[in-house]
Amino acid sequence: MARPLDGRTIIVTGASSGIGAATARACAGTGMSVLLVARRLDRLQALADGINRTSRGRADVLVIDVAAPEASTAILDAAERAHDGRLDAVFANAGYGYARRAVDETDADIRRIFDVNFFAAASLLREAGRRLLERGDAGHLLMCSSCLSKFSLPCYGAYAATKAAQDAWCGAMRLELLGTGIEVASVHPITTVTEFGDVVDRQSGGAGAPSLSDRVPRPFVQSSDRVARAVVRCLRRPRPEVWTSVVARAAAAGMTIAPGLGDRAIAMFARRAGAVTGPRKAH
Ligand SMILES: NC(=O)c1ccc[n+]([C@@H]2O[C@H](COP(=O)([O-])OP(=O)(O)OC[C@H]3O[C@@H](n4cnc5c(N)ncnc54)[C@H](OP(=O)(O)O)[C@@H]3O)[C@@H](O)[C@H]2O)c1
């Protein structure tokens, strides 16, 4: 039976844009109360005002860098204050990407993307899981990973590594919490029309690694509302992984079974998109 969401609460990080904003709106549409978390207050406030004007659910905002020390505690405390002590669901979605060849990487940039995409999300789900367990409460913990958790693309090694780490983290938590009433799910979107591509271009800093997102074939491009609807379906009917493209899921399975063939297919696509796939002189 589908779980009722009306009156439940959810924390959505990365709610100022894209998948997070769409998911927050979709959850509020079901009657859930949402804590919107990100760094840009104007965006969060505009979204909260819209939700509070038109949706059944309520929205509150928290401005914070998810990678700041003690951010998870601050986020969970703020949610419990806003929601009369309730903690039902968390969607750790804040994240970013950039495109750069592995040989051009810097330790600082790899650490920073892991801080935001992996460590912050893992810490938030861990801390939420602890609180739920201590109280004997049920709950739902979700993390926005990617289809790139299962295979990589040239110039997206650091990004894909954070997404694979998220996937592994959710898989372990899910098994550890089996039977406790706490569900854990990873979400695996394909290319989604959001600000993500602009951020990739900005963060890549002209390192000779063109963003692939503009040249992804149409069947691999979707709207953020599609991901949001899939997250809401998962909240109603829990499942281990949320996929929004059968083709991408099949491709991920194919690459696990035949990685050599998979490499050749990806290299062909990447070459067409103008990405670096072979040896070239250092610059
Ligand atoms: N778009 C895609 O093609 C795609 C595909 C697969 C997976 N994903 C994943 O989907 C998630 C959402 O991305 P999106 O596509 O919706 O991109 P987006 O439109 O750029 O949204 C990213 C969100 O993350 C927030 N954020 C980034 N760094 C943060 C930090 N340090 N602290 C707090 N908030 C932070 C941003 O808010 P502020 O800037 O206001 O802080 C923004 O709300 C990411 O985890 C991404 O990896 C995206």
Side-chain angles (χ1 to χ4, degrees):
M1 210 179 70
R3 298 174 171 203
L5 299 180
D6 199 11
R8 304 274 164 138
T9 71
I10 186 164
I11 298 168
V12 179
T13 71
S16 63
S17 163
I19 292 170
T23 303
R25 265 193 302 269
C27 287
T30 70
M32 293 184 90
S33 291
V34 190
L35 180 70
L36 310 171
V37 181
R39 294 165 300 180
R40 286 173 291 176
L41 174 61
D42 53 336
R43 295 292 203 90
L44 293 179
Q45 200 55 61
L47 178 60
D49 291 347
I51 287 174
N52 289 331
R53 235 184 358 256
T54 59
S55 293
R56 286 192 290 142
R58 198 181 82 216
D60 292 274
V61 309
L62 176 68
V63 174
I64 197 167
D65 183 329
V66 292
E70 310 299 330
S72 299
T73 304
I75 292 168
L76 290 162
D77 287 351
E80 289 179 353
R81 268 197 311 276
H83 300 147
D84 303 321
R86 283 195 74 122
L87 173 64
D88 295 312
V90 178
F91 183 34
N93 161 77
Y96 72 99
Y98 61 84
R100 188 179 302 149
R101 294 193 312 168
V103 292
D104 296 326
E105 269 294 1
T106 67
D107 285 348
D109 286 346
I110 299 173
R111 283 184 207 285
R112 174 67 188 162
I113 198 171
F114 263 88
D115 279 344
V116 175
N117 289 10
F118 176 66
F119 289 113
S123 159
L124 184 59
L125 260 55
R126 180 195 67 206
E127 179 69 24
R130 269 189 201 149
R131 290 188 188 200
L132 291 167
L133 275 178
E134 273 163 19
R135 297 173 201 161
D137 284 347
H140 209 144
L141 309 177
L142 299 99
M143 206 183 269
C144 194
S145 177
S146 166
C147 60
L148 292 188
S149 57
K150 311 283 187 186
F151 57 90
S152 201
L153 291 178
C155 299
Y156 284 82
Y159 174 73
T162 66
K163 296 292 150 184
Q166 290 183 319
D167 185 28
W169 182 265
C170 288
M173 267 192 100
R174 188 162 51 243
L175 290 168
E176 291 156 11
L177 295 173
L178 266 182
T180 63
I182 305 171
E183 307 285 347
V184 182
S186 48
V187 181
H188 301 263
I190 54 171
T191 301
T192 311
V193 183
T194 67
E195 293 176 15
F196 184 84
D198 298 336
V199 176
V200 166
D201 290 341
R202 244 190 352 258
Q203 296 276 346
S204 302
S211 159
L212 298 183
S213 52
D214 294 343
R215 314 202 190 171
V216 172
R218 285 215 167 270
F220 291 99
V221 180
Q222 65 187 0
S223 72
S224 48
D225 285 335
R226 186 180 169 105
V227 184
R229 285 193 298 271
V231 171
V232 168
R233 275 198 300 277
C234 177
L235 287 166
R236 288 194 201 282
R237 295 182 189 277
R239 69 197 68 186
E241 295 187 359
V242 176
W243 284 80
T244 50
S245 158
V246 177
V247 180
R249 196 167 201 181
M255 282 178 214
T256 304
I257 295 163
L261 266 179
D263 276 2
R264 281 202 287 282
I266 288 177
M268 197 172 69
F269 154 67
R271 256 196 309 275
R272 278 197 197 142
V276 179
T277 54
R280 76 178 198 186
K281 283 188 182 153
H283 48 273

